[in-house]
Amino acid sequence: MVNVRNLPDQELFYGHKACQGCGAATAARLVLKITGERTFLAYPASCISTVSTIYLQMAFAVPSLTMAFPATGAVLSGMAAAVKAKKLENVTVLGIAGDGGTADIGLQALSGAVERGDKILYVCYDNEAYMNTGVQRSSLTPYGAWTTTTPIGENEDSFGKRKFKKNLFEIMMAHRIPYCATASVSYPVDFLNKIEKAKDTDGPSFIHVMAPCPTGWGFPSDRTIEIGRLAVETGLWYLAEYENNKVKMNLVPKTFKPVEEYLKKQKRFKHLTDEHIAIIEKHRDEEWATMGQRYGF
Amino acid sequence: MVKSTGLKRRDFISANDAVAYGVKLCRPEVIAAYPITPQTTVVEKLSEFIENKEMACEYLNVESEHSVMSAVMGASLMGCRTFTATSSQGLLYMCEMLHYVSGSRFPIVMMNANRTVAAPWNIFGDHRDSLAMRDSGWMQVYVENGQEALDTIIQAYKLAENPKVLTPVMVCLDGFVLTHTYELVDIPDQSAVDAFLPPFVTENKLDLAKPKSLCITAPPEWQTEFRYQQYEAMKEAKKLIPGIDKEFAAHFGRSHGGLIEEYRCEDAEYVLMAMGSVVGTSRLVVDKLREEGLKVGLVKVRFYRPFPKEELASIGSKVKAVGVIDRDISFGYEGALYADVKAALYNSQGTCPRTINFIAGLSGRDITKENLEMMYRKLIKAAQGQAEEEIQFVGLRWEQW
């Protein structure tokens, strides 16, 4: 078990150019604390590559590479095959990719890698849009969120994204992946322990970690952890694990905080009407009811 | 059912099988593949070798060609020798990754079964797929038969992995005409190949002992320098290719001509230049016309990138007319090979022999001996001053050829 006392001091991701309060950079830093020096890391074109490896400044202290946007899963497979071919032991083949690079353009390669059962650890940091190109809609952007490609226009029904988030956790579970979890950078101990479990999984493992983005979401950069906590406390994000064909909820709030508390702190939701907020709340309640029945809590 | 793949020293096999034997002899450590006609039997054969323990290699069945090239790149950047094969739409689907591989200098060897690209959809061969990848930073070599295919795979690793080159190679075989045609092929001994091709050792890899980031982002201040290095690597490759062919000949007793191969060009006045399997048929036509006393010759353009500019220019300076056979067409201009050849033939005085571009063999249409004979006769007439269209589609249904 990882806790605050035994957490390694060693930093393997530093000197990068991420925005202040970047949830993705926090996620990457925490992941590497657990996987350690014996990590081979790949990441696609994304915020993480842009802030870490622009020649000559290299921010990862482990062997790493930038991959094509759709290719993270596949390059990890190739690296894992090389680990077998070269008979390397006690190493982690790690992928860190954003929501677009995972749930949209990268989904085919991720699905392929998981289906093959390759021994890789894939972490999707979810900042709920294409942040690297300047806040465009992805399939993990939430309902009602403003992005530059779901702008608030003159249309009467213009209120940001018209669809709810795709459920990536369930997509990965459908692969019968050996280990799969959701996490949040705002719950670091939970996250760190999930990384440790994933790292020791014999086969593919996947963690979907919520990583709030001050720039894209529109909140002060010292509020990242608070925003992430509110997402969980309002029931708009959940912490769960899937292993041995069972889902375990790591945290089930007794009562949910009103979703306004989360939404109204962010510029991307500030245009939402009470009607929209009611739709979001209703959707949340339905989702939790379905999960409760399905996973038995 | 996996059949035994025991091989004889000399065997009656398809060019696809020849490629598979060539790859096996090079001892790759990781192969990733996705099936596409007419490449498929190569990757089937390799998976058989591995299942039969005739080869110690990791084999990945990957879900798309884009992922194939990503996976072999993943293995290559860990320092493994890798192989894959593709064709046509598959090659186009990989396009993005071809640039990642060449720009990051991973010496991957890939076989491409040349097949036209849709639409109209068609599984038969021409060169429009690989020529569309001309500027991907990969070397491209076009072979004439199964023996050359096997031998070129071995040469390709030698070339790609040279530390001064570190550039991937695409070995191109005409779909069906070569890939599915059986012929007697000499299969070298493993020990002979081991003596020619040492294990792959590189500094350009992810290494726990020396952590570094590869395939990084380069800003405008540095990008040109990276490109210049790729340019220099291709120049270096061009210098090395003839030597590798000579060294191969010393080990195996066979030569395929380095950058180009000339056939009866010594005193030739009318020369056809072409790539791939059509060269074989053309040799017969040259022999026939030589018997008639016509001074004809043939140039096999083996490497398309790096391009044998000086070699072709030297031939061009001695002849009256040059015809270029393109199994492709760059719409809005002319055949891709022709454009490059013509540019090479112009000397500093601004003169050039008469040239004609023959667009032939598109989407698997046969290029017959009669077609080739007609090309030579047109060249002769053109050299005598007769008007000839510069770009000619050979054997169009509504024209007499």
Side-chain angles (χ1 to χ4, degrees), chain A residues 37-38 40 53-55 58 61 63-68 70-71 74-75 78-79 81-82 84 86 91 108-109 112 116, chain B residues 29 58 61-64 66-67 70-71 74-75 77-79 96-97 100 206-208 211-217 219 222:
Chain A
E37 281 177 323
R38 295 185 66 78
F40 292 102
T53 43
I54 294 186
Y55 193 73
M58 301 290 132
S64 81
L65 83 147
T66 310
M67 208 351 79
V75 77
M79 291 162 76
K84 277 201 218 164
K86 297 284 188 195
V91 297
Q108 172 183 285
R116 282 187 296 276
Chain B
E29 295 159 279
E58 294 295 322
N61 284 298
V62 184
E63 74 285 351
S64 77
H66 192 285
S67 287
S70 311
L77 61 87
M78 299 280 283
E96 180 187 25
M97 296 314 302
Y100 267 83
L206 296 185
D207 188 347
L208 290 173
K212 59 179 171 242
S213 295
L214 297 180
C215 191
I216 38 76
T217 307
W222 284 103

Side-chain angles (χ1 to χ4, degrees), chain B residues 107 128 319 342 377:
Chain B
R128 289 196 56 225
V319 301
K342 202 167 56 167
R377 295 197 189 282

Side-chain angles (χ1 to χ4, degrees), chain A residues 182-247:
Chain A
T182 64
S184 165
V185 294
S186 303
Y187 294 80
V189 176
D190 174 78
F191 181 34
L192 291 163
N193 281 292
K194 285 171 177 170
I195 298 159
E196 194 167 64
K197 242 187 206 180
K199 172 178 174 281
D200 297 333
T201 299
D202 186 19
S205 56
F206 178 84
I207 299 178
H208 185 187
V209 59
M210 174 170 267
C213 171
T215 318
W217 297 9
F219 62 81
S221 55
D222 60 351
R223 291 284 176 268
T224 303
I225 301 304
E226 182 186 325
I227 293 286
R229 282 199 163 261
L230 276 171
V232 172
E233 288 165 355
T234 53
L236 295 180
W237 185 244
Y238 58 89
L239 307 178
E241 276 176 300
Y242 168 82
E243 55 186 329
N244 305 321
N245 211 19
K246 278 201 184 81
V247 172

Side-chain angles (χ1 to χ4, degrees), chain A residues 7-240:
Chain A
L7 184 64
D9 286 336
Q10 191 181 31
E11 298 293 350
L12 295 167
F13 180 43
Y14 53 87
H16 56 74
K17 299 173 186 152
C19 306
Q20 288 184 357
C22 174
T26 307
R29 179 182 162 216
L30 293 175
V31 171
L32 284 170
K33 271 189 178 287
I34 302 300
T35 61
E37 281 177 323
R38 295 185 66 78
T39 301
F40 292 102
L41 170 64
Y43 37 84
S46 60
C47 284
I48 284 295
S49 65
T50 310
V51 306
S52 65
T53 43
I54 294 186
Y55 193 73
L56 299 156
Q57 288 168 301
M58 301 290 132
F60 284 110
V62 296
S64 81
L65 83 147
T66 310
M67 208 351 79
F69 207 7
T72 311
V75 77
L76 293 174
S77 283
M79 291 162 76
V83 165
K84 277 201 218 164
K86 297 284 188 195
K87 299 186 170 56
L88 301 177
E89 285 176 355
N90 190 25
V91 297
T92 303
V93 176
L94 170 69
I96 297 180
D99 46 301
T102 303
D104 297 338
I105 196 170
L107 190 59
Q108 172 183 285
L110 172 61
S111 176
V114 169
E115 185 272 333
R116 282 187 296 276
D118 297 330
K119 187 167 167 27
I120 60 169
L121 164 52
Y122 191 114
V123 177
C124 169
Y125 64 88
D126 187 0
N127 49 29
E128 303 195 321
Y130 290 93
M131 295 310 182
N132 185 34
T133 38
V135 200
Q136 294 82 29
R137 170 207 203 272
S138 84
S139 63
L140 295 187
T141 299
Y143 176 90
W146 166 91
T147 69
T148 56
T149 52
T150 53
I152 315 305
E154 297 298 320
N155 284 339
E156 277 170 32
D157 63 344
S158 183
F159 63 93
K161 191 186 174 190
R162 293 184 174 86
K163 297 285 174 190
F164 286 95
K165 255 175 109 89
K166 186 193 256 184
N167 195 317
L168 189 55
F169 182 58
E170 287 177 5
I171 291 170
M172 296 314 291
M173 279 198 292
H175 288 79
R176 301 294 176 261
I177 187 170
Y179 183 78
C180 176
T182 64
S184 165
V185 294
S186 303
Y187 294 80
V189 176
D190 174 78
F191 181 34
L192 291 163
N193 281 292
K194 285 171 177 170
I195 298 159
E196 194 167 64
K197 242 187 206 180
K199 172 178 174 281
D200 297 333
T201 299
D202 186 19
S205 56
F206 178 84
I207 299 178
H208 185 187
V209 59
M210 174 170 267
C213 171
T215 318
W217 297 9
F219 62 81
S221 55
D222 60 351
R223 291 284 176 268
T224 303
I225 301 304
E226 182 186 325
I227 293 286
R229 282 199 163 261
L230 276 171
V232 172
E233 288 165 355
T234 53
L236 295 180
W237 185 244
Y238 58 89
L239 307 178

